[in-house]
Amino acid sequence: MNAPTANEDLLYSITDGIARITFNRPQARNAMTFAMYDRMAEICLEINADRSIKALILTGAGDKAFASGTDISQFRAFKTAQDALDYEARIDRVLGTLEQCRVPVIAAIAGACTGGGAGIAACCDLRIGTETTRMGFPIARTLGNCLSMSNISRVVALVGPARTKDLIFKARLVEAQEALALGLLNEVVPDVETLQRRADETAKLVASHAPLTLEATKEAVRRIRRTLSREEGEDLILKAYMSEDFREGMDAFLNKRSPVWKGR
Ligand SMILES: C/C=C/C(=O)SCCNC(=O)CCNC(=O)[C@H](O)C(C)(C)COP(=O)(O)OP(=O)(O)OC[C@H]1O[C@@H](n2cnc3c(N)ncnc32)[C@H](O)[C@@H]1OP(=O)(O)O
């Protein structure tokens, strides 16, 4: 699979020890190309090796989205079961690297945060939203694919099994206040300007605290969530990705029509 280059699609800056990644494709609701995923993981590894960096903020350009998930047009290149497995392995590796980034990671979320975008947010340590934030996993409505075991287990860890099913089965996006009540968000601020300021303040606050306490807590919380091997979920992934329904979902989304599901 050819990866588009990240270029300006993912912006990276460091100010006073606080690193910031901005997903920068506002015209596509900051949908993630493979190159953007890969660059995000690469930055996490750079941060792990640079003790001068104390915290990382992830955010989306504009006020309409944090990230809408994987760029759906990239799924067109899927031809074989191996393509689906390679994709899942790649995203799992990226999200695992993000989740294990040495420093506290704060997601500053305005607008839509869906699919893989919500998966990214679930890997972060703290999530701050605005009144416009909408979060969820609409794939049962939009695409007919399925989340990886590790993605699902992170959502379960945040909101519990029953609410995870409610979100995915109903394919609904929850508004900011409900996301806060569910535990998908830690805090909601009024608007985007306040959001960026609040993310900076939060990053500075946590960066002023004992790094080893934060690192140990982060790792302990990660270990409490049962770590499943990717192989345990491969049969589920393949069943969805190799289905007629997935082709239908992708075609319907890209052609702006409603999909017709057949269950095969
Ligand atoms: C393991 C993880 C797997 C995945 O992540 S699979 C992908 C899962 N994500 C989704 O299913 C979300 C799909 N997108 C949406 O449901 C909606 O969008 C939003 C709720 C995120 C935003 O809605 P609104 O604000 O009304 O924007 P709009 O008019 O739907 O989209 C604006 C432009 O952005 C493109 N776009 C949005 N999301 C994606 C995407 N994920 N991949 C590729 N393009 C996307 C659209 O097509 C359109 O484009 P144009 O302006 O050319 O018509």
Side-chain angles (χ1 to χ4, degrees):
M1 240 174 290
N2 277 338
T5 49
N7 301 325
E8 295 296 302
D9 294 347
L10 186 149
L11 307 177
Y12 181 49
S13 62
I14 305 168
T15 310
D16 298 334
I18 308 295
R20 177 183 291 268
I21 289 175
T22 305
F23 308 126
N24 188 34
R25 300 182 67 218
Q27 73 288 357
R29 300 297 182 265
N30 301 322
M32 298 290 293
T33 62
F34 296 134
M36 290 164 72
Y37 277 122
D38 288 346
R39 179 67 186 128
M40 178 171 67
E42 193 179 81
I43 289 170
C44 290
L45 297 178
E46 288 169 19
I47 290 173
N48 289 348
D50 181 349
R51 301 302 294 192
S52 73
I53 297 179
K54 307 291 184 205
L56 169 64
I57 296 170
L58 298 188
T59 196
D63 59 358
K64 294 211 165 47
F66 172 76
S68 59
T70 298
D71 187 313
I72 291 170
S73 65
Q74 295 176 124
F75 290 129
R76 280 195 177 121
F78 281 27
K79 297 282 181 275
T80 65
Q82 195 56 48
D83 290 336
L85 292 179
D86 289 349
Y87 163 73
E88 283 300 332
R90 185 174 188 171
I91 302 303
D92 253 32
R93 219 170 23 244
V94 168
L95 295 187
T97 305
L98 172 63
E99 186 180 33
Q100 293 181 71
C101 186
R102 178 182 54 78
V103 300
V105 183
I106 296 155
I109 305 169
C113 177
T114 56
I120 291 171
C123 292
C124 297
D125 300 304
L126 300 172
R127 284 159 293 279
I128 309 174
T130 72
E131 291 296 346
T132 64
T133 300
R134 294 176 291 156
M135 299 180 79
F137 300 90
I139 52 173
R141 171 165 49 78
T142 54
L143 271 186
N145 59 341
C146 115
L147 294 181
S148 70
M149 293 283 264
S150 61
N151 256 322
I152 290 190
S153 75
R154 288 191 194 96
V155 185
V156 170
L158 281 177
V159 305
R163 286 163 169 168
T164 298
K165 288 182 196 165
D166 186 86
L167 285 174
I168 295 177
F169 282 24
K170 294 180 185 166
R172 69 196 184 92
L173 303 189
V174 297
E175 310 264 325
Q177 291 302 332
E178 186 181 356
L180 182 65
L182 287 176
L184 282 172
L185 290 174
N186 295 92
E187 184 180 354
V188 175
V189 298
D191 50 41
V192 182
E193 293 70 38
T194 318
L195 176 70
Q196 300 306 342
R197 199 169 61 241
R198 191 70 176 154
D200 279 332
E201 287 165 2
T202 307
K204 284 184 187 132
L205 174 71
V206 293
S208 72
H209 293 155
L212 297 182
T213 305
L214 307 184
E215 282 176 43
T217 304
K218 179 166 173 146
E219 181 57 14
V221 171
R222 191 183 72 83
R223 288 191 200 177
I224 288 165
R225 179 173 63 80
R226 185 183 160 227
T227 311
L228 300 148
S229 73
R230 195 171 27 80
E231 290 74 16
E232 282 180 271
E234 281 189 348
D235 55 335
L236 307 175
I237 294 291
L238 279 187
K239 198 170 171 196
Y241 276 101
M242 297 314 290
S243 66
E244 274 180 44
D245 277 354
F246 177 58
R247 299 263 144 215
E248 164 68 6
M250 187 170 36
D251 187 70
F253 183 84
L254 295 172
N255 290 299
K256 301 186 192 302
R257 63 173 175 82
S258 295
V260 179
W261 305 122
K262 293 188 177 146
R264 60 172 190 262

